[in-house]
Amino acid sequence: MVRFAFSAPDAASDQPMPRLPAIFSNGDHAVSVEGLVDSGSTINLLPYDYGLALGMVWDEHVVELKLTGALAQFEARAASVWMSSASLTGPEPVHLAVAWTRSNDARVIFGQINFFMEFNVCIYRSQNYFEVWRRE
């Protein structure tokens, strides 16, 4: 089990959130991310530029997904990435399904499918920390 302190998404925000640092990889490409751990999100979310940095090609991902809320106006495609975090995954990365959105205004989100299927999460909002451990 690893404990993480809540952090603000940027210097302008005074609202700390459960944000998890990790590395996403796809083939020979990798990118460092800090994603919101969001039990209310159905699926993991990947902003457009992150997908490009991972060597993904939009037109090669043909399964379209419908997003809701503030991102409903943007196209999204089904994709997958490998997630690693030395403290959580050890040497074996975890395969994550993601909704790769055409928006760069979106943030990386760790959601129910399939982050919460691979990891147990306890959020202690009143104390501004959360704990994550890989399911067995």
Side-chain angles (χ1 to χ4, degrees), residues 2-23:
V2 182
R3 181 180 287 192
F4 297 91
F6 278 29
S7 63
D10 54 51
S13 176
D14 63 352
Q15 290 299 314
M17 305 285 256
R19 299 179 56 77
L20 179 70
I23 297 173

Side-chain angles (χ1 to χ4, degrees), residues 7-81:
S7 63
D10 54 51
S13 176
D14 63 352
Q15 290 299 314
M17 305 285 256
R19 299 179 56 77
L20 179 70
I23 297 173
F24 283 175
S25 60
N26 179 46
D28 293 335
H29 302 277
V31 63
S32 293
V33 302
E34 187 176 63
L36 177 66
V37 177
D38 184 0
S39 63
S41 180
T42 302
I43 192 165
N44 304 311
L45 188 67
L46 183 68
Y48 187 67
D49 281 348
Y50 283 85
L52 294 179
L54 289 167
M56 295 179 181
V57 176
W58 184 261
D59 292 335
E60 292 177 0
H61 292 82
V62 296
V63 177
E64 295 181 16
L65 302 172
K66 292 286 185 191
L67 300 177
T68 60
L71 295 173
Q73 65 189 1
F74 296 101
E75 289 180 79
R77 303 276 173 93
S80 64
V81 297

Side-chain angles (χ1 to χ4, degrees), residues 53-111:
L54 289 167
M56 295 179 181
V57 176
W58 184 261
D59 292 335
E60 292 177 0
H61 292 82
V62 296
V63 177
E64 295 181 16
L65 302 172
K66 292 286 185 191
L67 300 177
T68 60
L71 295 173
Q73 65 189 1
F74 296 101
E75 289 180 79
R77 303 276 173 93
S80 64
V81 297
W82 289 97
M83 185 203 97
S84 58
S85 167
S87 59
L88 291 177
T89 63
E92 295 297 320
V94 173
H95 196 237
L96 293 181
V98 296
W100 180 25
T101 179
R102 204 67 193 239
S103 171
N104 282 317
D105 292 330
R107 295 186 176 150
V108 171
I109 293 178
F110 294 106

